[in-house]
Every structure is written in C-alpha cells, then in structure tokens.
Amino acid sequence: MKNLNKTGSGFSRQLALGALLLAMALPPMQAQAQARRDPIVLNFVNADIPSVIKAVGELTGKNFIIDPRVKGTVMITSARPVSRDQVYPILLAALRMQGFSAIESGGAIKIVPEAEAKQNYSVTRGKELKDGGDRIVTQVYPLVYESAAQMMTALRPLIGPNNAIAALPNSNTLVITDYAENVRRLNAIIESADQPSANDTAFIKLKYVSAVDVAQSLGRLMSDGTAAGAQAGQPAGSRLTIVPDVRSNSLMVRSDNPARIQTLRTLVTGLDVEGAAGGNIHVVYLRNAEASKLAETLRGILTGQVPATLASATSSTQPTTSQVAGSSLASGGAVGSMILADPATNSLVINASDVTYNALRAVIDKLDARRAQVFVEALVVEITAEKAAEFGIQWQDLRGIEKSGTNVIGGTNLGGRNTGSNIIDAAANLGTLGQGLNIGIVSGTIDIPGLGVVTNLGALARALESDANANILSTPNLLTMDNEEAKIVIGQNVPFITGSYAQTGTSTTPSPFQTIERRDVGLTLKVRPQVSEGGSVKLQIYQEISSLRPTTTAADVITDKRSIDSTVLVDDGRIIVLGGLIQDTMQDGIDKVPVLGDLPLFGHLFKSEKRQRMKTNLMVFLRPHVLRDTESSDVLTGERYEFIRQKQAEFRMQPHFALPDMQMAPLPELKLLSLPESGKLVAPEPPGARLGEPVPSPTVP
C-alpha cells in the first residue's frame, strides 16, 4: 500500500522513493504485478493541479495534454486506500469541481476549461450508452413517439451551463453533450417519457368529401407550426399531424394532445356531409400540372376513351384495359359529370357527385406532382486536317489559226473547264486562274472564230500545295422539364433558291422571279428527356452539324451535314458517347496525253497531277443532370453565372489617348439580382455605369 501525500515540493521525491523501495524488495516482474494490485491512499492538500495530473498519469499510464489555462489547486483525500482503477475517476471528479473537463481522443486525454469541452471532439455514442463517470461524451438519441423540440425544452434545465443539447426536427433526434453520468440520468428520463399513448393517433373515415381537401383545410385551420397535409416523412411527435389516405378516402391523425384529436373529429363530422343539389361544383388549383392537359386525361377516365393527345400514339382499335376500367367508372356515377380547365388560373372546375369527385381528387393529387428538370450538357468535338498538292504543264500553239490555207494547231488541255486550272479558260481571262504558282508564256493576242480576241497563251505551268487544319469544339447546353422537348440552334439562317422563272408577258423586259427557302445551317440540338424512378434518364436526341462549303462548282451552295437521331438511356450525371465519324480520304488524280505522258521526265510536259488527303474526327458526347428541387437549380445557375462574370471581368479595353473609355458595366453578384414589380430581372446600377464613365471590375471569387 502506498500513501500519496502532496503538501509541498517533496511529493515527487516521496513517490519515487516508495516506488524504488518496492522494486528492490521484489523481483522485477513480481514487483510490477504487485504495484498494480496495491491500493493507494490519496492525500493532496492544496496541491497544484498540473502536478496532480502528472502524478495520476504516472500511476495509471495515461497520457495527458494540459491546456495552459488549467491552473489552481485541488484537495483530494482518502480515509481508506483505493484501487488504482479508481484514481482516474477521482481525478475527473476533482477537475469537474474546479471547472475543468477531460476530452479523450487519439490515445491522449486533453484537460481543457469546461466551457470549451463541447467544442472539442468527444466520445460519440448512439442510443445505448455504457460510459459513466465525469468524462465528457456526446450522445445522439433518436425519439420514437415524443417531439424532440418539446423534449429539448424540458431537458435543457438539467444540462450544465457549459454543455449543450440540440434537437434535429427532420429526424426527431436529440444531440446531447454533457458528463456521462448526467447523460445516463437524462436517458432514463427520456426513456420514461418517450412512450406510446393510447389516444395519440386516430383514423377517421370520410364518406362524402375528399380526404385531400379536408386535410389541406384542417391543416391550415389547426396549424401550429405543422405543415398542412403533412407528408409521411414528417417528424414524429409533432403536435398535430394530418395525413390523407387517398385509397380509402380517410384521414390519419396524430397528436400528443387527445383533446385536439377530439376537436378534429368534431370538425370532420361537420364537413363530411352530402352536398346540396347544385352544390357539387369544385375548383381545384394545380401547382405543377397543366390544367388543359390534365382535364383531357380526367375526361378520358370518366368516358373510358383515350384522349386525343394519346390516340395518335396508339394505333390499336381494340379497347385497352384502361378503357374498360374507365367505362365501369362512368357507368358507376360519372354520367353527367363535367370537367373544365381554366388556363388563366391553371385550375380545374369539376361538376360531379361526391363519389366521383373523391375518386378524381385522388388522381389529381398524384398527377399534380412537381416534375423534375433535366440539364443536358453536350460536347461536340470535330478535328479536320486537309492536305492537297497540284502540279501540271499545259501548252498550245495557235499561230497557224490566223494564216490562210491548211495549217496545224494543237496543244494539251488538262483539267476541267471552269476549275481555275485549264489553259483555255486562262487564255480567255487570266483572272480565272486558281490559287498557287502560275507561270505562262504569252505571245500577244489572237482572234479565234466564235471566241473573239483572246490572249495567245502558249504554255501554262501550275503548282499548288495547301495544308488546312481545323479544331471545332461546341458545348451546347439545354435545360428542360421532364418529358418536354427543348431545342437550341446556333448558326446561320441561309437562303436557298428552290425555283425560278421569267415572266415576260407583253413586256419587252422579262421579270425574273425566284422562290427562296431559308434553312438553319450550324449546330442544332433537340432533346426530349424522360426521368425514371430509378434515376436513369431516357433521351430522345436529334443533333445536326451543318456547314457551307467555301467553294463549289454546283448551281447553288453546298452544305456538309452530319446528324444523329437516336434514343439512349443514361444514368444521372454520367457521360455517354452518342456517335462519331472517323474518316480518312485520299485522292490521287492525273490527266495526261496517252503515251507521251508516260515518258520519263519528258512526260511531265504532257500531264497534270493532283493529290489530296482529308482526315475528319468527329465525336459527340452527352451528360444529363436531373434537377429535382430548387436547391439543385440554384447551384447550377450560380456556377454558370459566376463563370460568365469571370469571363466578363477578364475582358478589358486598353486605354487610348484619344478614344473615350467605354467599359461595360460588370455583372453584379447573383444574390444582388432582384425581381421588381415589373417582373423583369434587374440589377443595381453600379457607380460609373453610365456610358463613357470608367467602371470597376467585379470581384470574382
């Protein structure tokens, strides 16, 4: 048995001496085992707290990290010896009385002021807590029956002023940070209070009125922070929860106050009465669906006929299962019912009996759901490389054409007419020669019958080599609602001549007339997405890339067109390749005089050669993003808005000594945009936004 005294500076020396005597009396292994079993008498009188913590660390083998603000003295005395396992809990109790706490993490124990203990990492437990004593722990306690917010109000006075308790309404959970012994006491209180009550739930069957309408009306009437028509995932323990069951046309009610349930029963009894004659007209305001389309669907349910919008997609003349079911409903009381749509208010006006209206109301509630939106990112990459080479020599001798009698003329005429490489076209007009090196021998002019006076071009040598590369990257983006087609066109609207004629009549001057059709040339993307419940997206896609050829010999312009028309299935946020084109074209052409063009070296005077190679790599990629709520749309909009703000900030006009500074007003931050009464999106005018005044650059994160 050891007696630990600390009243002065000799404490450490006494402790070391006692340990040394014990080690000398016993063998090493036996001495260690005996030391672990020996009880200890604690006697700390006005001892320095850091010194006491150090002594406990030597006895227990624990590592301590002491905050510099941990100062003062402590008094610990034990009339009887205590085991070594009780030394650490006794230290925690003494520290708690002095306003300090122990945080256990990472193999070490941090001693900090109690006010900062809740901000440090502590042992975190679930509903089952086995820890005890004066150590700081954090517990996450989910409630089943009671409200976490109400329970937090009742438990807060039992929590220490330097510790914390919080409620998570969405999961109906309590988060408690306090000493383990106090947390165990709170658990006993929570377990006793979080019990089911025989009067906290009720099931109310309705006969005449719609459960959805009644739930919304009573929810607004008796709301006390609870949303009307609570969803099934609403936190348990709310003071009043009303959930409609459309299948049985009933109300499921839950409350922690039986009197409120009884009041609700009385109100429902007064509302659930048969409507008077002529009083079966109901107005249903829609939140998401389109009134005209939904009205057509409901009429099809009543009459048992497929709506006109769906009839075009169904070619079968035999009645489907839905048609037969609709006929049964119509014969059961839908006769005389009327459904009208009011597009101005996006609402439905229904004139039907209570039974029919209740059935329709259940359908409306399911169809009038928020539709997801799909943001489609497309990536079109086109890389083109084209190389061409041309070399040829042509000659002609036309001097004998002006002499009388029999004379000989001739020469080579290679290449097609009107191509910019033919010697006959060059003789008539030198301006028709194409690009490249053109060397000729001209000997005055000559008069050719039928052509007139032309240049006497005796020889023409042409050489041309071209190298063209193109890298085109297009990233069209589209945002559209689920199952709605969206289209984006980026390009030119080019006129094409489709017909022409000359109307002469009695006039001496004919009046030419042409018919023109305009077509889009550029990039076109049309997408119709359909979101499934599993998260995948079905996309009906049409993508077209067209361009005008720079030169052509046709009667009108020629367009190069590449298009994709496909239906694909892709997961949300994943990239898919729609299609592509990898093309490598080589052309080698030669125009020559037979026999003479095949002679070595000398044969080049009688032939013209052309070579061309063109490589095209085209790939189209697509990635859809499903936006199911406002937060997703805000994040997407914020990213694109900040990107364009940054691009605008990078563009700055260079100052000029004579020209005025006409900088564009910078875009404001997205959170500064507002919608005034006019309904137009405006931004506050920054200083110097008037024309001609300098404008500061926006601060882009």
Side-chain angles (χ1 to χ4, degrees), residues 572-645:
D572 180 18
R574 305 303 296 269
I575 301 177
I576 189 172
V577 58
L578 296 183
L581 170 67
I582 300 178
Q583 185 178 15
D584 193 351
T585 305
M586 298 183 63
Q587 295 180 353
D588 187 5
I590 181 172
D591 295 334
K592 65 180 180 179
V593 177
V595 181
L596 296 178
D598 296 330
L599 297 177
L601 298 178
F602 186 74
H604 290 289
L605 300 176
F606 299 93
K607 64 182 177 181
S608 175
E609 297 179 272
K610 295 181 180 180
R611 294 180 180 179
Q612 184 178 15
R613 181 177 183 180
M614 184 171 60
K615 298 181 66 176
T616 301
N617 296 316
L618 173 65
M619 286 291 173
V620 181
F621 301 90
L622 205 70
R623 176 168 60 182
H625 297 275
V626 180
L627 309 177
R628 299 185 182 274
D629 49 28
T630 307
E631 288 75 12
S632 302
S633 302
D634 292 343
V635 172
L636 180 66
T637 303
E639 292 177 354
R640 267 57 182 180
Y641 189 82
E642 289 301 327
F643 171 78
I644 204 65
R645 286 186 70 234

Side-chain angles (χ1 to χ4, degrees), residues 60 77 82 367 434 443 452 478 491 509 534 597:
T60 60
T77 61
V82 297
L367 297 180
S443 179
L478 282 174
T509 303

Side-chain angles (χ1 to χ4, degrees), residues 14 30 84 98 102-103 198 220 269 320 393 508 567 580 676 681 695:
Q14 294 176 8
Q30 185 177 359
R84 291 176 181 263
Q98 299 297 324
I103 306 298
R220 290 192 295 267
T269 303
T320 61
I393 298 176
T508 57
T567 301
L681 189 65
V695 178

Side-chain angles (χ1 to χ4, degrees), residues 62-291:
K62 297 181 181 294
N63 300 320
F64 290 92
I65 300 175
I66 305 175
D67 191 282
R69 291 167 292 180
V70 177
K71 299 178 181 179
T73 59
V74 68
M75 180 177 293
I76 304 175
T77 61
S78 58
R80 297 180 181 179
V82 297
S83 63
R84 291 176 181 263
D85 296 336
Q86 294 179 329
V87 174
Y88 178 61
I90 293 175
L91 174 65
L92 296 182
L95 292 176
R96 179 179 177 182
M97 297 180 64
Q98 299 297 324
F100 304 115
S101 300
I103 306 298
E104 302 177 5
S105 64
I109 303 172
K110 296 186 293 184
I111 307 299
V112 298
E114 187 182 61
E116 296 187 5
K118 60 185 178 183
Q119 300 175 358
N120 289 267
Y121 171 81
S122 59
V123 177
T124 304
R125 306 297 186 195
K127 190 173 182 179
E128 299 295 332
L129 179 64
K130 299 181 180 179
D131 301 83
D134 294 305
R135 65 184 66 185
I136 293 292
V137 297
T138 298
Q139 184 185 33
V140 181
Y141 197 113
L143 301 181
V144 180
Y145 304 103
E146 293 297 328
S147 170
Q150 296 179 3
M151 186 67 71
M152 180 187 67
T153 304
L155 297 180
R156 187 179 295 277
L158 304 179
I159 302 292
N162 293 324
N163 296 317
I165 180 173
L168 304 179
N170 291 335
S171 59
N172 198 42
T173 303
L174 290 174
V175 180
I176 306 172
T177 300
D178 202 353
Y179 292 99
E181 199 63 35
N182 193 39
V183 174
R184 293 172 65 91
R185 179 174 69 113
L186 298 177
N187 287 350
I189 298 174
I190 297 173
E191 185 177 358
S192 300
D194 190 27
Q195 298 294 330
S197 174
N199 299 321
D200 62 351
T201 58
F203 185 81
I204 304 175
K205 177 72 174 178
L206 301 177
K207 184 177 180 180
Y208 300 104
V209 296
S210 170
V212 177
D213 293 341
V214 173
Q216 292 178 354
S217 301
L218 294 179
R220 290 192 295 267
L221 177 64
M222 306 184 66
S223 62
D224 49 4
T226 303
Q231 301 296 327
Q234 188 171 349
S238 299
R239 295 185 62 184
L240 180 63
T241 305
I242 306 174
V243 180
D245 180 44
V246 294
R247 184 184 62 84
S248 61
N249 196 37
S250 305
L251 295 177
M252 295 180 290
V253 184
R254 185 179 184 277
S255 177
D256 54 3
N257 188 352
R260 293 178 63 83
I261 296 181
Q262 187 60 35
T263 303
L264 189 66
R265 285 184 180 274
T266 304
L267 293 174
V268 172
T269 303
L271 294 174
D272 190 23
V273 295
E274 187 175 3
N280 292 330
I281 300 178
H282 307 271
V283 178
V284 181
Y285 293 96
L286 303 179
R287 298 183 301 271
N288 303 288
E290 186 175 346

Side-chain angles (χ1 to χ4, degrees), residues 283-332:
V283 178
V284 181
Y285 293 96
L286 303 179
R287 298 183 301 271
N288 303 288
E290 186 175 346
S292 57
K293 294 182 179 180
L294 185 55
E296 189 175 354
T297 302
L298 297 178
R299 293 191 199 104
I301 295 176
L302 292 179
T303 59
Q305 298 179 357
V306 178
T309 54
L310 299 178
S312 58
T314 305
S315 59
S316 176
T317 57
Q318 299 295 329
T320 61
T321 305
S322 59
Q323 290 175 320
V324 176
S327 301
S328 302
L329 176 62
S331 61

